[in-house]
Amino acid sequence: MTRTLWRDHHWQLIHTAPQAPALHMALDEVLTQEVGAGHRPPTLRVWEWGAPAVVIGRFQSLRNEVDAEAARRHGIEVVRRVSGGGAMFIEPGNTITYSIYAPLSLIKGMSFQEAYAWMDAWTLEALGQLGIKAWYQPLNDITSEGGKIAGAAQAHRGGAVLHHVTMAYDIDATKMLDVLRIGREKLSDKGTRSAAKRVDPLRSQTGLPREVIIARMIETFRTLHGLTDDQLRPSELADAEALAQQKFATAEWTADVP
Amino acid sequence: MHGEYKMPGGKLIVIDLAVRDGCLADVQLSGDFFLEPDAALHAIDAALEGQRVDADEHMLAGAVRAQLAPGVMMYGISPEAIAVAVRRAIDQGTDA
């Protein structure tokens, strides 16, 4: 396998109507497999959230991370994703989330640290055009002088890399801290004392509507790497709906690390 | 019992465990680190299961490393950092 460049691929864009949290988890698994198998060209998928959710990382303990009673009280679904990393608190309209599905050749020979920064170079460019001086904060954060903007995670599956990112557009920090358990040890080397202070959302930094930021980001990707508008294939959606039901919406998977 | 360790420049590593007959039992590693493939998580738990409660960090890290299949990739976590979290759980652990 030789190293490939962004422009060696015919990038496809998927940006659909809002979908359920478990379906998003399943789409990431299905589309990573499809790209790895060569059934689909490399793809950028922009998510729209159909419901509030807490998305925990593949290796996080459900009970250590989430106050289940508070999540129920707020009507927030808890799902586990396929990649590592930390918990995300999602409310529709409050985050910008995207996934990139690419052959492993795109990051061949790179360290994890290099691969994360490489996959999000276009995002930093887009943020710069929006007037935000942002940079990669290893291991997996995008940050600016105001604070953390986004968190990224990668997973490797069958010849493909899944790289997905959630950016804070707006945030109800009180509700987030009600639902997520964020301990002091985690913040011990971050130089801040509260999780809420760590996040500086895009809304306050840009003053722009979320849809405008997403449109600008897509245009930046298109300009840098090329991008063709695409749709989910019926078979991909059917596979993902089945996988959501059989895996990602089940208590067994969500509590895989209890 | 519960121990946490934020690996410097890395991620949060959490260990929950019990001690039975002087040995570690029901060991569960968790945290916001990255592991490829994901099945390595349960291999690490299995490597720590049954280790003696007086095992030092060096021995615990060695037990984890010996159990890892070739090609397992770790990001934000290491056998040494796991060992620190295990010792913290044993030495200062409160019931989670």
Side-chain angles (χ1 to χ4, degrees):
Chain A
M1 178 175 70
T2 52
R3 172 89 184 278
T4 55
L5 300 172
W6 289 92
R7 282 281 178 178
D8 292 332
H9 302 288
H10 297 287
W11 291 92
Q12 308 291 305
L13 172 67
I14 295 175
H15 188 185
T16 67
Q19 290 162 315
L23 183 59
H24 279 303
M25 304 302 113
L27 281 167
D28 266 359
E29 181 164 330
V30 167
L31 295 177
T32 305
Q33 279 167 0
E34 289 298 291
V35 170
H39 297 154
R40 141 174 294 286
T43 299
L44 167 68
R45 181 169 75 94
V46 179
W47 304 27
E48 295 296 339
W49 291 90
V54 166
V55 182
I56 60 173
R58 174 67 187 90
F59 307 112
Q60 289 190 297
S61 157
L62 178 62
R63 65 166 178 263
N64 284 346
E65 294 300 323
V66 182
D67 184 331
E69 209 290 308
R72 248 192 313 274
R73 194 169 62 241
H74 291 296
I76 294 169
E77 190 177 337
V78 181
V79 290
R80 181 184 298 276
R81 64 177 183 267
V82 295
S83 64
M88 308 180 309
F89 173 70
I90 308 284
E91 292 185 285
N94 270 9
T95 66
I96 296 173
T97 305
Y98 59 83
S99 296
I100 297 171
Y101 315 94
L104 277 173
S105 58
L106 191 67
I107 55 168
K108 182 180 164 52
M110 292 184 186
S111 66
F112 277 107
Q113 192 167 321
E114 290 166 332
Y116 275 75
W118 183 250
M119 297 301 282
D120 282 330
W122 67 280
T123 301
L124 297 188
E125 171 84 23
L127 290 172
Q129 288 173 15
L130 291 165
I132 300 172
K133 188 175 176 298
W135 61 88
Y136 231 83
Q137 176 78 42
L139 308 177
N140 59 320
D141 287 351
I142 296 171
T143 195
S144 72
E145 274 168 19
K148 174 173 168 174
I149 294 173
Q154 288 185 6
H156 299 180
R157 293 283 185 286
V161 55
L162 160 67
H163 177 94
H164 49 193
V165 173
T166 286
M167 315 174 80
Y169 174 70
D170 199 356
I171 195 158
D172 183 339
T174 308
K175 200 188 284 187
M176 178 181 79
L177 293 174
D178 212 17
V179 176
L180 295 185
R181 304 184 202 269
I182 300 174
R184 242 175 292 159
E185 179 68 16
K186 170 157 181 160
L187 301 171
S188 61
D189 74 344
K190 298 280 187 187
T192 51
R193 282 162 61 202
S194 85
K197 279 186 193 151
R198 287 185 58 213
V199 177
D200 190 25
L202 292 170
R203 182 179 182 173
S204 60
Q205 294 206 51
T206 64
L208 293 172
R210 177 178 172 276
E211 295 69 27
V212 171
I213 296 175
I214 290 174
R216 298 255 193 105
M217 288 181 64
I218 288 171
E219 282 323 298
T220 299
F221 190 108
R222 201 184 300 275
T223 303
L224 291 175
H225 304 320
L227 192 62
T228 303
D229 292 345
D230 191 16
Q231 290 186 339
L232 279 175
R233 294 169 188 161
S235 61
E236 292 169 338
L237 185 58
D239 286 353
E241 281 172 342
L243 192 61
Q245 201 176 3
Q246 291 154 19
K247 178 176 174 180
F248 291 100
T250 66
E252 289 76 11
W253 170 254
T254 306
D256 182 63
V257 184
Chain B
M1 294 155 77
H2 180 87
E4 299 189 357
Y5 178 57
K6 173 72 169 65
M7 178 174 148
K11 308 304 287 185
L12 183 69
I13 295 163
V14 182
I15 290 284
D16 290 276
L17 55 75
V19 173
R20 281 199 288 270
D21 302 328
C23 295
L24 309 187
D26 305 332
V27 182
Q28 177 184 287
L29 167 67
S30 65
D32 60 352
F33 48 80
F34 299 88
L35 272 180
E36 297 283 354
D38 61 355
L41 182 76
H42 297 299
I44 294 169
D45 288 345
L48 293 166
E49 194 78 18
Q51 294 293 320
R52 291 183 51 86
V53 73
D54 58 359
D56 63 17
E57 285 177 16
H58 183 73
M59 294 162 70
L60 292 166
V64 169
R65 190 173 286 106
Q67 190 71 31
L68 289 176
V72 168
M73 294 185 290
M74 299 183 138
Y75 190 43
I77 180 173
S78 67
E80 290 72 23
I82 295 167
V84 173
V86 172
R87 281 306 330 167
R88 286 191 177 183
I90 297 167
D91 295 336
Q92 25 180 317
T94 49
D95 288 328

